[in-house]
Each structure stands twice: as structure tokens, then as C-alpha cells.
Amino acid sequence: MADVARVAGVSRSTVSYVLSGTRPISEETRQQVLRAMKDLDYTPNALAQGLAGKRTGIIALIFPIGDVGFNLTEFEYIRAASEQAREDGYHLLLWPYGADEIDAVRKMVSQGIVEGVVLMEVRTVDERVSFLLDAGIPFTTIGRTGGHQAQAYVDTDFEAMGAMAVEYVAGLGHTDIGFLARSQSDLDAGHGPFVRTRDAVIASAEALGIRSHVFTASLTFDAGWKVLDEIRKAAPGLTALLSINEPATLGLMAAAREQGLRIPGELSVVGLTISDRTAQASHPSLTSVSPNHSDIARLAVRYLIRRLRGEDPATFQTLIRPDLIERGSTAVAPA
């Protein structure tokens, strides 16, 4: 630590404050210290710091892994969160606990391994949020609960996303549209992104005087393949589909090719909150209405670290408006 202080041109106590976060340090000085640590290959022992009652330099990302693992979009969140944590001098642990595994979350937090938490896959009523608030654990959420928000969060503006997508396909002349979510159990559980987007799609379609249908499928390619038959039987006049189910969308598009259903000639498809890599991996490439997932993850980590440095979390609440990117999967409604 003395060597770091000498190279950085600061006192040893300043180095200690940068590591512990117990006192505010200017960003310029903090960066000087971090550069000196890098030049000297100085790595504090996290366990020793924890035993001494200091900061561990570790934060956790709680991200349920689900039954089929992570998709490309979800990996964007994980990679960006990890990179931002590292840039701010922290290590990131991935805790793949589901929303119902509150005891596992409670046990891990109580062990004092991490200083704070970034929580994902947030439900409109989420017991994990209540626990973290009651426990006084610094945390931010990617997503938000229903009603008043007591916690810091970064979230996609799903209401705006649903409305943008509906207005876009309506502008192409589509008057009978569908919305593909995840499973019905996810909707019933109050999973924020799907509930908010579904409600926005239904409300926007009604306001524009066009028909809308809601379909569900599990998060698999095969489920998407199978749901196409259900869609065609239940809504034979449907000409545009808005999907917030990434793997099922790819399966549905593959099934459409197999059945000779032309995309976008007979069916326009819009991917909601999917990554550019996924959108460009399909054929044709998917028109999308999505936020920048990396920006969301990075901002959530920055909010958490600012909380750990003693800043007021009440101001850390941001909705990210998505962008519409036209690609090859949408066209004017067939005559």
C-alpha cells in the first residue's frame, strides 16, 4: 500500500480510503490510485479485508439462469456488468438464483462475501427486493417492481417499447397483430418486462383500432417452432407478430420457412428487447425495438458503486427508451 501511495503521489490513508470506500475521494485521485495499483500489480486480499471489517471489493449479480441457460442478449448484460465492475475496481460474482430462491439469496448475503448486489429478472411483486431493503444491503435492480420504487433501478421503458412496436406495424398497414411472450406462468408471476409490454401492446392496439392476440411459449427454439401452428389456427388473419421471447422467435421463423410462410411477405416479425447479435443471426435479420443492454448493465453497476461510496440512492432511478431498428423481417401488410 505504501508503494501504491508513493507511485500515485498520495498518502497511504488516501489509498486506504479508495480501497475501503469509507470516505469520499475525488474521481481524479481515485483513478491515480487505481493506475498505480495496476502498474505495480497490487491486488488487495479480499478475504483478509473482509475479516478486517473492510470492503471486500466484490459485488454480486443475481440473475436466474432458467432451465435453458443464458441467451445472447442475457450474456450482453453479464459481460457489460462484469466489465464495468472491473473498471471501478470491483470483482463481479454471478449468482444464478431464481426469484423464488429467497433462502439462497439470504444465506449468501448473510455471509458477508459481497458489498452489494445487482438484481435482475425483477417481478412486479418481488420478495428479494423486500428482503434486501429490510436487510439494509446496498443494491440496484435491472428492472423494477410495481408501484412506488424504494430502490435504485435501471430499466427499459417497456410501456414505450410496446407502444412503439404497435405504432410501427400499424404504420405499415397491419391491422391484426400478435404478441408472443414467455410462458403463462411468467405472466402470472408478474414478470415485469412481459407484463408491462403485453399491457402496452394491448392498450396501444386498442387505441389504434387494430386487433391484438397474446400467445405464450417457453424459452426454447422448439417451443417457437410449435407455437406457429397455434398462432395460425387462432388468428388466421394475423400479419404481424411482436415477440419478446428470443429463442422462440428464432424457432418460429425457422418453422415459417419450413411451412412456406414468407417473412416478411406474409408475416412481419418484430423482436422486442433483443440484442443486435441475435437480430442479425436470424434469416431474414430481425427488425427490433430494443434498448442498449450493455448501457443498462453498466449504469446499474455504476449506481450500485455510487451507493457503496455513500451517495443517496433516491436519485438513481432511470428508464431507458428503446430504439427501433428496421431490418429484413418487416414489410407493408399484404393486400
Side-chain angles (χ1 to χ4, degrees), residues 59 61 63 72-88 92 118 120 142 292-302 305:
I59 60 176
L61 176 66
F63 195 158
L72 289 175
T73 298
E74 290 165 338
F75 269 117
E76 282 195 356
Y77 285 107
I78 296 169
R79 184 183 67 249
S82 178
E83 289 173 352
Q84 185 63 53
R86 186 166 61 249
E87 289 171 12
D88 283 316
L92 182 79
V118 177
M120 291 195 65
I142 296 177
N292 186 306
H293 306 102
S294 294
D295 287 350
I296 290 175
R298 283 180 171 275
L299 185 57
V301 170
R302 288 201 297 269
I305 291 172

Side-chain angles (χ1 to χ4, degrees), residues 21 33 35 48-49 79-80 91 105 109 167-168 175 209 212 214 249 260-262 271 275 291 300 313 317:
V33 171
R35 282 194 297 270
Q49 286 184 309
R79 184 183 67 249
H91 301 288
V105 174
V109 167
E167 291 167 5
Y168 170 68
T175 58
S212 64
V214 176
T249 303
L261 179 65
R262 293 178 295 113
S275 67
Q317 296 184 343

Side-chain angles (χ1 to χ4, degrees), residues 109-320:
V109 167
S110 67
Q111 292 178 355
I113 297 172
V114 300
E115 294 183 50
V117 169
V118 177
L119 181 65
M120 291 195 65
E121 299 285 295
V122 178
R123 297 178 176 182
T124 51
V125 177
D126 200 308
E127 188 179 355
R128 298 169 302 170
V129 171
S130 300
F131 162 68
L132 292 170
L133 285 170
D134 291 343
I137 305 298
F139 75 103
T140 58
T141 61
I142 296 177
R144 64 199 194 279
T145 55
H148 172 71
Q149 305 295 306
Q151 79 282 358
Y153 70 81
V154 186
D155 198 12
T156 301
D157 190 339
F158 290 102
E159 290 83 359
M161 185 174 70
M164 286 173 65
V166 172
E167 291 167 5
Y168 170 68
V169 295
L172 293 173
H174 296 276
T175 58
D176 197 339
I177 68 173
F179 171 68
L180 179 60
R182 293 206 319 201
S183 66
Q184 187 61 48
S185 62
D186 281 319
L187 291 174
D188 294 341
H191 195 290
F194 307 111
V195 171
R196 289 188 171 95
T197 309
R198 176 201 61 189
D199 293 348
V201 166
I202 293 172
S204 298
E206 182 177 352
L208 293 172
I210 62 179
R211 297 182 64 188
S212 64
H213 314 265
V214 176
F215 302 95
T216 59
S218 63
L219 281 168
T220 65
F221 184 94
D222 287 344
W225 185 287
K226 294 173 182 176
V227 82
L228 179 62
D229 286 335
E230 177 188 339
I231 292 172
R232 299 186 77 179
K233 290 176 182 177
L238 185 148
T239 60
L241 181 70
L242 316 178
S243 177
I244 198 171
N245 186 329
E246 182 174 310
T249 303
L250 300 179
L252 180 146
M253 294 177 71
R257 288 196 300 273
E258 178 75 14
Q259 297 178 21
L261 179 65
R262 293 178 295 113
I263 296 177
E266 296 172 272
L267 177 66
S268 287
V269 181
V270 179
L272 306 179
T273 191
I274 66 169
S275 67
D276 287 341
R277 289 179 63 189
T278 298
Q280 294 168 3
S282 67
H283 181 75
S285 56
L286 269 168
T287 292
S288 63
V289 182
S290 299
N292 186 306
H293 306 102
S294 294
D295 287 350
I296 290 175
R298 283 180 171 275
L299 185 57
V301 170
R302 288 201 297 269
Y303 278 174
L304 174 60
I305 291 172
R306 288 173 64 182
R307 284 208 60 193
L308 294 174
R309 293 174 183 161
E311 295 188 42
D312 181 6
T315 59
F316 304 157
Q317 296 184 343
T318 301
L319 283 180
I320 304 296

